[in-house]
Amino acid sequence: NPPKGTNIAPVLESARALVGRVDGVNVTDNTAAVVRAGSLPVCRLLYELGHDPVMQMTCRDRNRIALQSELMGAAALGIRNLLLLKGDDPKQGDQPDAKPVFDYDTAAFTAVAVAMRDKGTLPTGKTVSGECDFFIAAADVPIDPKPGWEPASLKAKIAAGCEFVQTQFCMDADVVRRYMARLAECGVRVPFLIGISPLRSAKSANWMREKLFGTIIPDATVARLEAAKDPAAEGRKICLDLMRELATIPGVAGVHIMAPGNEAAIADVIKGAAGLKRAK
């Protein structure tokens, strides 16, 4: 998360410990509809630090002119990885009277970014000077699919040009296995990064289940944390166990480790996961 202000030092300090240990760093865009420093400048600073950032962009706050402009700015600054999102409702944030824009939905926004990259044009037909070498992601929420369920929204994003997917927290490998199998049956075959976390306590796990839409954390995981003498250490072990299991699931290309307020645990988990290889 970018800072709620101009002091970028803590973000850079956390990110510096991950240089060379991760494939990318996701940078949020006013997550939870709360004002933070912009995603693009933080991505550029992380790029200069040695990271390959994934820049979030939401449809919530800007119209199509501003979104197209920011895409150009990202390309000019060497930021190529994009995670295009709808964005949280402003009513959930700290300025509930803010007017949402939603000039694009995520599929339409993805199509614009693809056209800028592949055709060098804007929706108006005007030429975009220079290159826009984008690698475009969409967000998804894994579920335990019922018979007959179809991933209509995800298919629309893929049809528009989405190339990989990052998911909400899903700490249940069995659910992921069934979900990925169903996606394959439906013809969805893009790489997935599954959202996981080195949980700090049973309390934080329960908060995530209650407050973060789509989060899946099994009761058995909460019970492990409750029984542990050192819940934070147990949370890191749970995360590693899950990474080993996810690595065996076809379609899972990696993990998206999120640990708000607990960033130090990320480096520990990654160190413990050295040598893991994913399924083909």
Side-chain angles (χ1 to χ4, degrees), residues 86-150:
K86 177 182 178 182
D88 299 311
D89 190 326
K91 289 183 175 60
Q92 300 172 7
D94 59 353
Q95 299 185 58
D97 292 332
K99 293 182 180 180
V101 180
F102 299 124
D103 203 9
Y104 285 140
D105 62 21
T106 49
F109 190 19
T110 298
V112 168
V114 169
M116 290 175 66
R117 180 191 66 198
D118 295 349
K119 300 178 181 179
T121 60
L122 296 174
T124 60
K126 292 183 178 179
T127 299
V128 177
S129 63
E131 295 185 354
C132 297
D133 186 23
F134 296 135
F135 186 41
I136 303 168
D140 192 34
V141 179
I143 61 170
D144 214 342
K146 297 179 180 179
W149 175 84
E150 292 283 337

Tab-separated table of all heavy atoms in Angstrom, residues 86-150:
chain	number	residue	atom	x	y	z
A	86	LYS	N	-12.278	-2.809	-10.872
A	86	LYS	CA	-13.440	-1.933	-10.744
A	86	LYS	C	-13.197	-0.898	-9.660
A	86	LYS	O	-13.416	0.291	-9.859
A	86	LYS	CB	-14.688	-2.759	-10.418
A	86	LYS	CG	-15.941	-1.924	-10.205
A	86	LYS	CD	-17.125	-2.806	-9.829
A	86	LYS	CE	-18.370	-1.958	-9.558
A	86	LYS	NZ	-19.522	-2.788	-9.143
A	87	GLY	N	-12.758	-1.318	-8.492
A	87	GLY	CA	-12.532	-0.422	-7.363
A	87	GLY	C	-13.646	-0.507	-6.341
A	87	GLY	O	-14.807	-0.723	-6.673
A	88	ASP	N	-13.270	-0.350	-5.076
A	88	ASP	CA	-14.251	-0.423	-3.988
A	88	ASP	C	-15.197	0.770	-4.030
A	88	ASP	O	-14.817	1.877	-4.418
A	88	ASP	CB	-13.532	-0.456	-2.634
A	88	ASP	CG	-12.619	-1.664	-2.498
A	88	ASP	OD1	-13.085	-2.778	-2.782
A	88	ASP	OD2	-11.445	-1.482	-2.117
A	89	ASP	N	-16.424	0.553	-3.590
A	89	ASP	CA	-17.433	1.606	-3.525
A	89	ASP	C	-16.978	2.709	-2.569
A	89	ASP	O	-16.579	2.425	-1.435
A	89	ASP	CB	-18.755	1.011	-3.033
A	89	ASP	CG	-19.933	1.973	-3.170
A	89	ASP	OD1	-19.734	3.187	-3.012
A	89	ASP	OD2	-21.044	1.497	-3.424
A	90	PRO	N	-17.006	3.983	-2.985
A	90	PRO	CA	-16.613	5.064	-2.079
A	90	PRO	C	-17.385	5.080	-0.765
A	90	PRO	O	-16.871	5.572	0.251
A	90	PRO	CB	-16.907	6.331	-2.897
A	90	PRO	CG	-16.808	5.889	-4.314
A	90	PRO	CD	-17.320	4.483	-4.330
A	91	LYS	N	-18.596	4.568	-0.762
A	91	LYS	CA	-19.388	4.538	0.474
A	91	LYS	C	-18.727	3.687	1.545
A	91	LYS	O	-19.033	3.819	2.733
A	91	LYS	CB	-20.805	4.024	0.189
A	91	LYS	CG	-21.664	5.005	-0.586
A	91	LYS	CD	-23.075	4.472	-0.762
A	91	LYS	CE	-23.984	5.507	-1.425
A	91	LYS	NZ	-23.515	5.918	-2.750
A	92	GLN	N	-17.807	2.796	1.150
A	92	GLN	CA	-17.093	1.959	2.098
A	92	GLN	C	-15.855	2.672	2.659
A	92	GLN	O	-15.235	2.184	3.604
A	92	GLN	CB	-16.652	0.659	1.419
A	92	GLN	CG	-17.809	-0.167	0.868
A	92	GLN	CD	-17.316	-1.350	0.042
A	92	GLN	OE1	-16.117	-1.622	-0.018
A	92	GLN	NE2	-18.238	-2.053	-0.592
A	93	GLY	N	-15.491	3.811	2.071
A	93	GLY	CA	-14.256	4.475	2.445
A	93	GLY	C	-14.449	5.588	3.457
A	93	GLY	O	-15.487	5.679	4.124
A	94	ASP	N	-13.447	6.468	3.535
A	94	ASP	CA	-13.476	7.524	4.544
A	94	ASP	C	-14.069	8.829	4.020
A	94	ASP	O	-14.161	9.810	4.750
A	94	ASP	CB	-12.068	7.764	5.098
A	94	ASP	CG	-11.067	8.154	4.026
A	94	ASP	OD1	-11.428	8.117	2.823
A	94	ASP	OD2	-9.921	8.483	4.376
A	95	GLN	N	-14.474	8.831	2.727
A	95	GLN	CA	-15.168	9.983	2.149
A	95	GLN	C	-16.391	9.477	1.377
A	95	GLN	O	-16.412	9.493	0.139
A	95	GLN	CB	-14.231	10.773	1.235
A	95	GLN	CG	-13.006	11.339	1.965
A	95	GLN	CD	-12.157	12.214	1.086
A	95	GLN	OE1	-12.622	13.213	0.542
A	95	GLN	NE2	-10.880	11.846	0.938
A	96	PRO	N	-17.408	9.032	2.107
A	96	PRO	CA	-18.543	8.359	1.462
A	96	PRO	C	-19.344	9.241	0.511
A	96	PRO	O	-20.127	8.719	-0.293
A	96	PRO	CB	-19.401	7.911	2.648
A	96	PRO	CG	-18.991	8.791	3.787
A	96	PRO	CD	-17.543	9.069	3.579
A	97	ASP	N	-19.157	10.558	0.565
A	97	ASP	CA	-19.866	11.448	-0.348
A	97	ASP	C	-19.150	11.601	-1.691
A	97	ASP	O	-19.662	12.284	-2.590
A	97	ASP	CB	-20.034	12.834	0.285
A	97	ASP	CG	-20.976	12.809	1.482
A	97	ASP	OD1	-21.865	11.933	1.510
A	97	ASP	OD2	-20.812	13.647	2.394
A	98	ALA	N	-17.983	10.986	-1.834
A	98	ALA	CA	-17.248	11.060	-3.099
A	98	ALA	C	-18.069	10.425	-4.222
A	98	ALA	O	-18.739	9.412	-4.028
A	98	ALA	CB	-15.905	10.348	-2.967
A	99	LYS	N	-18.010	11.029	-5.406
A	99	LYS	CA	-18.768	10.519	-6.543
A	99	LYS	C	-17.956	9.477	-7.304
A	99	LYS	O	-16.880	9.782	-7.815
A	99	LYS	CB	-19.143	11.664	-7.483
A	99	LYS	CG	-20.129	12.657	-6.894
A	99	LYS	CD	-20.492	13.734	-7.904
A	99	LYS	CE	-21.491	14.723	-7.311
A	99	LYS	NZ	-21.863	15.777	-8.280
A	100	PRO	N	-18.456	8.252	-7.418
A	100	PRO	CA	-17.760	7.252	-8.231
A	100	PRO	C	-17.928	7.566	-9.720
A	100	PRO	O	-18.931	8.157	-10.124
A	100	PRO	CB	-18.466	5.951	-7.853
A	100	PRO	CG	-19.847	6.371	-7.461
A	100	PRO	CD	-19.696	7.721	-6.819
A	101	VAL	N	-16.947	7.177	-10.523
A	101	VAL	CA	-16.985	7.484	-11.953
A	101	VAL	C	-17.460	6.273	-12.764
A	101	VAL	O	-18.502	6.314	-13.406
A	101	VAL	CB	-15.604	7.962	-12.444
A	101	VAL	CG1	-15.642	8.292	-13.924
A	101	VAL	CG2	-15.166	9.187	-11.647
A	102	PHE	N	-16.670	5.200	-12.756
A	102	PHE	CA	-17.017	3.974	-13.483
A	102	PHE	C	-17.380	4.259	-14.945
A	102	PHE	O	-18.380	3.758	-15.468
A	102	PHE	CB	-18.151	3.217	-12.775
A	102	PHE	CG	-17.807	2.783	-11.378
A	102	PHE	CD1	-18.601	3.149	-10.307
A	102	PHE	CD2	-16.676	2.015	-11.125
A	102	PHE	CE1	-18.286	2.750	-9.009
A	102	PHE	CE2	-16.338	1.606	-9.833
A	102	PHE	CZ	-17.150	1.983	-8.773
A	103	ASP	N	-16.556	5.083	-15.596
A	103	ASP	CA	-16.744	5.347	-17.019
A	103	ASP	C	-16.492	4.084	-17.835
A	103	ASP	O	-17.085	3.901	-18.905
A	103	ASP	CB	-15.773	6.457	-17.427
A	103	ASP	CG	-16.209	7.192	-18.673
A	103	ASP	OD1	-17.341	6.970	-19.140
A	103	ASP	OD2	-15.416	8.008	-19.189
A	104	TYR	N	-15.594	3.240	-17.357
A	104	TYR	CA	-15.335	1.929	-17.941
A	104	TYR	C	-15.669	0.841	-16.922
A	104	TYR	O	-15.567	1.082	-15.707
A	104	TYR	CB	-13.853	1.750	-18.284
A	104	TYR	CG	-13.348	2.470	-19.497
A	104	TYR	CD1	-12.093	3.078	-19.476
A	104	TYR	CD2	-14.075	2.516	-20.676
A	104	TYR	CE1	-11.588	3.725	-20.593
A	104	TYR	CE2	-13.578	3.166	-21.796
A	104	TYR	CZ	-12.341	3.774	-21.748
A	104	TYR	OH	-11.841	4.407	-22.852
A	105	ASP	N	-16.035	-0.348	-17.397
A	105	ASP	CA	-15.932	-1.526	-16.551
A	105	ASP	C	-14.574	-2.160	-16.841
A	105	ASP	O	-13.831	-1.692	-17.714
A	105	ASP	CB	-17.098	-2.497	-16.767
A	105	ASP	CG	-17.173	-3.060	-18.186
A	105	ASP	OD1	-16.153	-3.040	-18.915
A	105	ASP	OD2	-18.263	-3.527	-18.575
A	106	THR	N	-14.222	-3.187	-16.101
A	106	THR	CA	-12.851	-3.708	-16.222
A	106	THR	C	-12.583	-4.332	-17.593
A	106	THR	O	-11.472	-4.226	-18.116
A	106	THR	CB	-12.557	-4.732	-15.115
A	106	THR	OG1	-13.610	-5.692	-15.048
A	106	THR	CG2	-12.436	-4.042	-13.767
A	107	ALA	N	-13.592	-4.985	-18.176
A	107	ALA	CA	-13.388	-5.587	-19.498
A	107	ALA	C	-13.140	-4.508	-20.541
A	107	ALA	O	-12.234	-4.628	-21.382
A	107	ALA	CB	-14.587	-6.443	-19.879
A	108	ALA	N	-13.924	-3.422	-20.508
A	108	ALA	CA	-13.738	-2.334	-21.465
A	108	ALA	C	-12.387	-1.653	-21.262
A	108	ALA	O	-11.695	-1.305	-22.238
A	108	ALA	CB	-14.872	-1.324	-21.324
A	109	PHE	N	-11.995	-1.474	-20.007
A	109	PHE	CA	-10.706	-0.852	-19.704
A	109	PHE	C	-9.562	-1.733	-20.204
A	109	PHE	O	-8.568	-1.241	-20.771
A	109	PHE	CB	-10.607	-0.612	-18.204
A	109	PHE	CG	-9.436	0.229	-17.761
A	109	PHE	CD1	-8.755	1.050	-18.634
A	109	PHE	CD2	-9.028	0.204	-16.431
A	109	PHE	CE1	-7.684	1.827	-18.216
A	109	PHE	CE2	-7.965	0.968	-16.002
A	109	PHE	CZ	-7.293	1.780	-16.896
A	110	THR	N	-9.699	-3.035	-20.009
A	110	THR	CA	-8.690	-3.968	-20.509
A	110	THR	C	-8.553	-3.865	-22.020
A	110	THR	O	-7.434	-3.835	-22.563
A	110	THR	CB	-9.061	-5.410	-20.109
A	110	THR	OG1	-9.079	-5.515	-18.681
A	110	THR	CG2	-8.068	-6.410	-20.672
A	111	ALA	N	-9.676	-3.790	-22.719
A	111	ALA	CA	-9.646	-3.694	-24.177
A	111	ALA	C	-8.925	-2.422	-24.638
A	111	ALA	O	-8.204	-2.434	-25.646
A	111	ALA	CB	-11.068	-3.731	-24.735
A	112	VAL	N	-9.096	-1.330	-23.897
A	112	VAL	CA	-8.406	-0.085	-24.232
A	112	VAL	C	-6.890	-0.252	-24.092
A	112	VAL	O	-6.117	0.152	-24.973
A	112	VAL	CB	-8.907	1.065	-23.335
A	112	VAL	CG1	-8.011	2.292	-23.471
A	112	VAL	CG2	-10.347	1.425	-23.685
A	113	ALA	N	-6.461	-0.851	-22.968
A	113	ALA	CA	-5.029	-1.063	-22.754
A	113	ALA	C	-4.442	-1.985	-23.819
A	113	ALA	O	-3.321	-1.767	-24.300
A	113	ALA	CB	-4.790	-1.641	-21.357
A	114	VAL	N	-5.189	-3.009	-24.212
A	114	VAL	CA	-4.728	-3.935	-25.259
A	114	VAL	C	-4.576	-3.208	-26.597
A	114	VAL	O	-3.590	-3.402	-27.324
A	114	VAL	CB	-5.702	-5.124	-25.386
A	114	VAL	CG1	-5.401	-5.948	-26.638
A	114	VAL	CG2	-5.613	-6.012	-24.149
A	115	ALA	N	-5.549	-2.349	-26.928
A	115	ALA	CA	-5.477	-1.616	-28.190
A	115	ALA	C	-4.299	-0.644	-28.203
A	115	ALA	O	-3.626	-0.481	-29.229
A	115	ALA	CB	-6.786	-0.865	-28.426
A	116	MET	N	-4.026	-0.019	-27.071
A	116	MET	CA	-2.873	0.871	-26.995
A	116	MET	C	-1.583	0.085	-27.207
A	116	MET	O	-0.642	0.572	-27.852
A	116	MET	CB	-2.855	1.590	-25.644
A	116	MET	CG	-3.968	2.613	-25.485
A	116	MET	SD	-4.054	3.360	-23.825
A	116	MET	CE	-2.518	4.282	-23.774
A	117	ARG	N	-1.540	-1.117	-26.673
A	117	ARG	CA	-0.338	-1.952	-26.806
A	117	ARG	C	-0.195	-2.536	-28.213
A	117	ARG	O	0.876	-2.449	-28.826
A	117	ARG	CB	-0.396	-3.098	-25.794
A	117	ARG	CG	0.810	-4.028	-25.850
A	117	ARG	CD	0.556	-5.272	-25.025
A	117	ARG	NE	-0.514	-6.083	-25.599
A	117	ARG	CZ	-1.184	-7.043	-24.931
A	117	ARG	NH1	-0.886	-7.274	-23.666
A	117	ARG	NH2	-2.131	-7.728	-25.529
A	118	ASP	N	-1.270	-3.166	-28.708
A	118	ASP	CA	-1.174	-3.960	-29.939
A	118	ASP	C	-1.365	-3.140	-31.211
A	118	ASP	O	-0.795	-3.466	-32.264
A	118	ASP	CB	-2.211	-5.082	-29.913
A	118	ASP	CG	-1.950	-6.095	-28.804
A	118	ASP	OD1	-0.861	-6.043	-28.203
A	118	ASP	OD2	-2.836	-6.930	-28.541
A	119	LYS	N	-2.170	-2.080	-31.133
A	119	LYS	CA	-2.468	-1.280	-32.325
A	119	LYS	C	-1.876	0.119	-32.252
A	119	LYS	O	-1.814	0.820	-33.261
A	119	LYS	CB	-3.979	-1.182	-32.530
A	119	LYS	CG	-4.667	-2.527	-32.724
A	119	LYS	CD	-6.172	-2.343	-32.869
A	119	LYS	CE	-6.889	-3.675	-33.031
A	119	LYS	NZ	-8.373	-3.500	-33.145
A	120	GLY	N	-1.476	0.538	-31.043
A	120	GLY	CA	-0.951	1.880	-30.877
A	120	GLY	C	-1.998	2.951	-31.086
A	120	GLY	O	-1.692	4.046	-31.565
A	121	THR	N	-3.244	2.641	-30.714
A	121	THR	CA	-4.323	3.598	-30.912
A	121	THR	C	-5.185	3.737	-29.663
A	121	THR	O	-5.277	2.823	-28.838
A	121	THR	CB	-5.251	3.174	-32.073
A	121	THR	OG1	-5.826	1.890	-31.782
A	121	THR	CG2	-4.485	3.111	-33.386
A	122	LEU	N	-5.831	4.902	-29.556
A	122	LEU	CA	-6.843	5.150	-28.546
A	122	LEU	C	-8.213	4.765	-29.106
A	122	LEU	O	-8.351	4.561	-30.319
A	122	LEU	CB	-6.832	6.633	-28.159
A	122	LEU	CG	-5.566	7.158	-27.488
A	122	LEU	CD1	-5.662	8.670	-27.300
A	122	LEU	CD2	-5.329	6.470	-26.162
A	123	PRO	N	-9.239	4.699	-28.262
A	123	PRO	CA	-10.580	4.387	-28.770
A	123	PRO	C	-11.068	5.378	-29.822
A	123	PRO	O	-11.933	5.046	-30.645
A	123	PRO	CB	-11.443	4.452	-27.505
A	123	PRO	CG	-10.514	4.115	-26.397
A	123	PRO	CD	-9.211	4.736	-26.786
A	124	THR	N	-10.523	6.599	-29.822
A	124	THR	CA	-10.893	7.605	-30.819
A	124	THR	C	-10.287	7.323	-32.186
A	124	THR	O	-10.657	7.955	-33.176
A	124	THR	CB	-10.417	8.988	-30.365
A	124	THR	OG1	-8.985	8.950	-30.214
A	124	THR	CG2	-11.064	9.376	-29.042
A	125	GLY	N	-9.329	6.387	-32.231
A	125	GLY	CA	-8.610	6.119	-33.463
A	125	GLY	C	-7.300	6.876	-33.560
A	125	GLY	O	-6.488	6.614	-34.465
A	126	LYS	N	-7.067	7.798	-32.642
A	126	LYS	CA	-5.825	8.561	-32.663
A	126	LYS	C	-4.636	7.674	-32.292
A	126	LYS	O	-4.750	6.777	-31.463
A	126	LYS	CB	-5.920	9.747	-31.713
A	126	LYS	CG	-6.912	10.814	-32.164
A	126	LYS	CD	-6.916	11.999	-31.205
A	126	LYS	CE	-7.877	13.079	-31.688
A	126	LYS	NZ	-7.928	14.235	-30.755
A	127	THR	N	-3.499	7.962	-32.884
A	127	THR	CA	-2.295	7.171	-32.673
A	127	THR	C	-1.627	7.537	-31.349
A	127	THR	O	-1.557	8.706	-30.968
A	127	THR	CB	-1.300	7.400	-33.827
A	127	THR	OG1	-1.904	6.991	-35.040
A	127	THR	CG2	-0.014	6.604	-33.596
A	128	VAL	N	-1.130	6.519	-30.667
A	128	VAL	CA	-0.347	6.706	-29.450
A	128	VAL	C	1.129	6.615	-29.840
A	128	VAL	O	1.576	5.567	-30.323
A	128	VAL	CB	-0.681	5.629	-28.397
A	128	VAL	CG1	0.204	5.799	-27.168
A	128	VAL	CG2	-2.149	5.683	-28.024
A	129	SER	N	1.870	7.682	-29.666
A	129	SER	CA	3.287	7.648	-30.018
A	129	SER	C	4.050	6.810	-28.994
A	129	SER	O	3.737	6.823	-27.808
A	129	SER	CB	3.859	9.069	-30.060
A	129	SER	OG	3.789	9.666	-28.788
A	130	GLY	N	5.036	6.067	-29.480
A	130	GLY	CA	5.819	5.231	-28.573
A	130	GLY	C	5.134	3.904	-28.302
A	130	GLY	O	4.061	3.601	-28.832
A	131	GLU	N	5.752	3.094	-27.438
A	131	GLU	CA	5.255	1.753	-27.147
A	131	GLU	C	4.550	1.699	-25.799
A	131	GLU	O	4.896	2.430	-24.868
A	131	GLU	CB	6.407	0.744	-27.158
A	131	GLU	CG	7.061	0.576	-28.520
A	131	GLU	CD	8.113	-0.522	-28.517
A	131	GLU	OE1	8.397	-1.065	-27.427
A	131	GLU	OE2	8.652	-0.824	-29.592
A	132	CYS	N	3.568	0.811	-25.716
A	132	CYS	CA	2.866	0.518	-24.463
A	132	CYS	C	2.949	-0.987	-24.243
A	132	CYS	O	2.038	-1.740	-24.590
A	132	CYS	CB	1.405	0.968	-24.531
A	132	CYS	SG	1.158	2.739	-24.745
A	133	ASP	N	4.065	-1.425	-23.703
A	133	ASP	CA	4.347	-2.861	-23.596
A	133	ASP	C	3.690	-3.442	-22.348
A	133	ASP	O	4.363	-3.890	-21.411
A	133	ASP	CB	5.859	-3.076	-23.560
A	133	ASP	CG	6.234	-4.547	-23.596
A	133	ASP	OD1	5.417	-5.359	-24.074
A	133	ASP	OD2	7.341	-4.890	-23.134
A	134	PHE	N	2.354	-3.470	-22.323
A	134	PHE	CA	1.634	-3.863	-21.124
A	134	PHE	C	1.495	-5.381	-20.989
A	134	PHE	O	1.359	-6.107	-21.985
A	134	PHE	CB	0.238	-3.242	-21.116
A	134	PHE	CG	0.215	-1.744	-21.058
A	134	PHE	CD1	-0.629	-1.010	-21.882
A	134	PHE	CD2	1.040	-1.047	-20.180
A	134	PHE	CE1	-0.663	0.371	-21.835
A	134	PHE	CE2	1.022	0.333	-20.124
A	134	PHE	CZ	0.170	1.045	-20.965
A	135	PHE	N	1.510	-5.834	-19.743
A	135	PHE	CA	1.183	-7.222	-19.368
A	135	PHE	C	0.029	-7.097	-18.382
A	135	PHE	O	0.203	-6.562	-17.284
A	135	PHE	CB	2.398	-7.895	-18.743
A	135	PHE	CG	2.227	-9.359	-18.459
A	135	PHE	CD1	1.594	-10.202	-19.352
A	135	PHE	CD2	2.731	-9.902	-17.279
A	135	PHE	CE1	1.457	-11.559	-19.087
A	135	PHE	CE2	2.602	-11.250	-17.005
A	135	PHE	CZ	1.963	-12.079	-17.906
A	136	ILE	N	-1.166	-7.553	-18.769
A	136	ILE	CA	-2.406	-7.124	-18.124
A	136	ILE	C	-3.042	-8.232	-17.300
A	136	ILE	O	-3.244	-9.347	-17.777
A	136	ILE	CB	-3.396	-6.639	-19.188
A	136	ILE	CG1	-2.763	-5.512	-20.023
A	136	ILE	CG2	-4.690	-6.142	-18.543
A	136	ILE	CD1	-3.527	-5.162	-21.277
A	137	ALA	N	-3.369	-7.876	-16.057
A	137	ALA	CA	-4.002	-8.821	-15.142
A	137	ALA	C	-5.423	-8.396	-14.817
A	137	ALA	O	-5.799	-7.233	-14.949
A	137	ALA	CB	-3.206	-8.926	-13.843
A	138	ALA	N	-6.203	-9.363	-14.356
A	138	ALA	CA	-7.532	-9.121	-13.800
A	138	ALA	C	-7.578	-9.722	-12.404
A	138	ALA	O	-6.763	-10.587	-12.053
A	138	ALA	CB	-8.608	-9.753	-14.679
A	139	ALA	N	-8.525	-9.263	-11.615
A	139	ALA	CA	-8.733	-9.830	-10.282
A	139	ALA	C	-9.841	-10.872	-10.341
A	139	ALA	O	-10.722	-10.828	-11.198
A	139	ALA	CB	-9.110	-8.732	-9.293
A	140	ASP	N	-9.794	-11.812	-9.400
A	140	ASP	CA	-10.815	-12.849	-9.348
A	140	ASP	C	-10.982	-13.297	-7.899
A	140	ASP	O	-10.083	-13.094	-7.064
A	140	ASP	CB	-10.414	-14.033	-10.236
A	140	ASP	CG	-11.550	-15.010	-10.465
A	140	ASP	OD1	-12.715	-14.563	-10.540
A	140	ASP	OD2	-11.290	-16.221	-10.560
A	141	VAL	N	-12.131	-13.898	-7.618
A	141	VAL	CA	-12.445	-14.405	-6.285
A	141	VAL	C	-12.747	-15.894	-6.400
A	141	VAL	O	-13.816	-16.267	-6.901
A	141	VAL	CB	-13.650	-13.663	-5.669
A	141	VAL	CG1	-13.970	-14.216	-4.286
A	141	VAL	CG2	-13.383	-12.168	-5.585
A	142	PRO	N	-11.826	-16.781	-6.003
A	142	PRO	CA	-12.103	-18.210	-6.079
A	142	PRO	C	-13.322	-18.601	-5.251
A	142	PRO	O	-13.580	-18.021	-4.189
A	142	PRO	CB	-10.828	-18.853	-5.509
A	142	PRO	CG	-9.775	-17.827	-5.723
A	142	PRO	CD	-10.463	-16.509	-5.525
A	143	ILE	N	-14.060	-19.568	-5.751
A	143	ILE	CA	-15.214	-20.117	-5.044
A	143	ILE	C	-15.179	-21.630	-5.159
A	143	ILE	O	-14.403	-22.187	-5.932
A	143	ILE	CB	-16.545	-19.597	-5.627
A	143	ILE	CG1	-16.677	-20.014	-7.103
A	143	ILE	CG2	-16.655	-18.082	-5.465
A	143	ILE	CD1	-18.046	-19.752	-7.693
A	144	ASP	N	-16.015	-22.296	-4.370
A	144	ASP	CA	-16.222	-23.736	-4.533
A	144	ASP	C	-17.355	-23.874	-5.536
A	144	ASP	O	-18.524	-23.684	-5.193
A	144	ASP	CB	-16.592	-24.382	-3.192
A	144	ASP	CG	-16.029	-25.780	-3.066
A	144	ASP	OD1	-15.662	-26.368	-4.105
A	144	ASP	OD2	-15.946	-26.290	-1.942
A	145	PRO	N	-17.056	-24.155	-6.802
A	145	PRO	CA	-18.070	-24.050	-7.850
A	145	PRO	C	-19.171	-25.094	-7.738
A	145	PRO	O	-18.910	-26.275	-7.522
A	145	PRO	CB	-17.264	-24.238	-9.140
A	145	PRO	CG	-16.048	-24.990	-8.727
A	145	PRO	CD	-15.746	-24.563	-7.330
A	146	LYS	N	-20.393	-24.622	-7.889
A	146	LYS	CA	-21.548	-25.515	-7.908
A	146	LYS	C	-21.722	-26.100	-9.314
A	146	LYS	O	-21.225	-25.531	-10.288
A	146	LYS	CB	-22.803	-24.757	-7.482
A	146	LYS	CG	-22.756	-24.239	-6.055
A	146	LYS	CD	-24.031	-23.478	-5.712
A	146	LYS	CE	-23.985	-22.954	-4.269
A	146	LYS	NZ	-25.209	-22.179	-3.920
A	147	PRO	N	-22.426	-27.221	-9.434
A	147	PRO	CA	-22.665	-27.800	-10.761
A	147	PRO	C	-23.303	-26.776	-11.695
A	147	PRO	O	-24.248	-26.077	-11.323
A	147	PRO	CB	-23.617	-28.955	-10.464
A	147	PRO	CG	-23.323	-29.341	-9.049
A	147	PRO	CD	-23.001	-28.056	-8.348
A	148	GLY	N	-22.755	-26.666	-12.897
A	148	GLY	CA	-23.308	-25.757	-13.883
A	148	GLY	C	-22.787	-24.337	-13.807
A	148	GLY	O	-23.102	-23.515	-14.678
A	149	TRP	N	-21.983	-24.019	-12.775
A	149	TRP	CA	-21.456	-22.657	-12.642
A	149	TRP	C	-20.524	-22.331	-13.803
A	149	TRP	O	-19.729	-23.163	-14.245
A	149	TRP	CB	-20.714	-22.507	-11.323
A	149	TRP	CG	-20.041	-21.179	-11.160
A	149	TRP	CD1	-20.586	-20.014	-10.726
A	149	TRP	CD2	-18.666	-20.886	-11.459
A	149	TRP	NE1	-19.649	-19.009	-10.729
A	149	TRP	CE2	-18.466	-19.514	-11.169
A	149	TRP	CE3	-17.599	-21.648	-11.944
A	149	TRP	CZ2	-17.237	-18.897	-11.343
A	149	TRP	CZ3	-16.378	-21.028	-12.116
A	149	TRP	CH2	-16.201	-19.669	-11.818
A	150	GLU	N	-20.622	-21.089	-14.297
A	150	GLU	CA	-19.772	-20.612	-15.386
A	150	GLU	C	-19.068	-19.318	-14.973
A	150	GLU	O	-19.694	-18.435	-14.372
A	150	GLU	CB	-20.611	-20.347	-16.645
A	150	GLU	CG	-21.202	-21.590	-17.289
A	150	GLU	CD	-20.168	-22.360	-18.086
A	150	GLU	OE1	-19.157	-21.762	-18.509
A	150	GLU	OE2	-20.386	-23.565	-18.304
